[in-house]
Amino acid sequence: MNKNQIFRNTHAKLLAFDLLSLTQTPNFSSSDPISFSRKGVSLSRAEIVGVVTSCEHKANRFLKFAIDDGTGCVSCVLWLNHHSSPYFSRRNPVDVRLIAAMANQWASEIKIGVVARVRGKITAYRGEVQITVSDVVLERDPNVEMLNWLDCVRLARNCYDVVAAFK
């Protein structure tokens, strides 16, 4: 496997400043119009932990919210249009109902001030990096943000930067 692609389908644990400083490159050979990289290593998915600082809810369309981890604020979008989206029309209706139910549950739990762990695909909207949400976990442990910071720093030093150095 190409070392540049090693984290391609892995949720990379990143701090907001890392996520917001990813290099965006137009991608003409795949279904994704933009590819993202950190120090030359391709990333397509990310995980971030922080406090929800804003919410914009458009019923049956999307929930857009921001996660602040102390190093920056990352926009996240949780799609709620599963029943009307052409993307989901070709999938099994039972699966679509389950996915829609989970998304609606997450949308009802995301409130300003809660600490959340968000995973999803790294995308861009109007030139700004955002996460298209695939999973949300509300955290109850008050230490989770600091533990996540330590994890992110450790992974950057011992994993992500090591691959970039050997490219």
Side-chain angles (χ1 to χ4, degrees), residues 83 88-102:
H83 297 296
F88 286 99
S89 65
R90 56 184 177 255
R91 296 183 71 175
N92 181 332
V94 174
D95 293 342
V96 172
R97 280 193 297 274
L98 288 171
I99 293 167
M102 286 303 302

Side-chain angles (χ1 to χ4, degrees), residues 16-154:
F17 79 88
D18 263 339
L19 195 56
L20 296 171
S21 64
L22 292 177
T23 302
Q24 298 182 40
T25 309
N27 194 359
F28 302 106
S29 63
S30 79
S31 61
D32 296 328
I34 298 174
S35 63
F36 299 89
S37 62
R38 180 185 179 277
K39 296 185 178 181
V41 177
S42 287
L43 300 173
S44 63
R45 302 181 192 295
E47 176 180 306
I48 185 169
V49 176
V51 177
V52 175
T53 58
S54 69
C55 285
E56 177 188 351
H57 187 223
K58 300 279 186 182
N60 298 319
R61 292 181 54 208
F62 64 84
L63 172 68
K64 185 173 183 173
F65 58 100
I67 295 283
D68 185 343
D69 70 357
T71 67
C73 240
V74 176
S75 291
C76 303
V77 63
L78 173 62
W79 291 105
L80 303 172
N81 63 345
H82 299 90
H83 297 296
S84 61
S85 168
Y87 175 78
F88 286 99
S89 65
R90 56 184 177 255
R91 296 183 71 175
N92 181 332
V94 174
D95 293 342
V96 172
R97 280 193 297 274
L98 288 171
I99 293 167
M102 286 303 302
N104 285 319
Q105 179 183 341
W106 293 330
S108 70
E109 295 173 346
I110 295 172
K111 307 268 188 258
I112 293 175
V114 301
V115 177
R117 178 179 306 274
V118 177
R119 287 183 178 179
K121 186 173 181 164
I122 304 167
T123 57
Y125 180 67
R126 296 183 178 168
E128 298 296 320
V129 174
Q130 69 177 17
I131 295 179
T132 300
V133 177
S134 61
D135 184 26
V136 176
V137 176
L138 298 184
E139 297 288 355
R140 297 172 196 221
D141 182 353
N143 299 312
V144 74
E145 285 184 277
M146 186 53 62
L147 294 171
N148 183 68
W149 268 49
L150 294 171
D151 254 355
C152 289
V153 170
R154 180 184 53 81

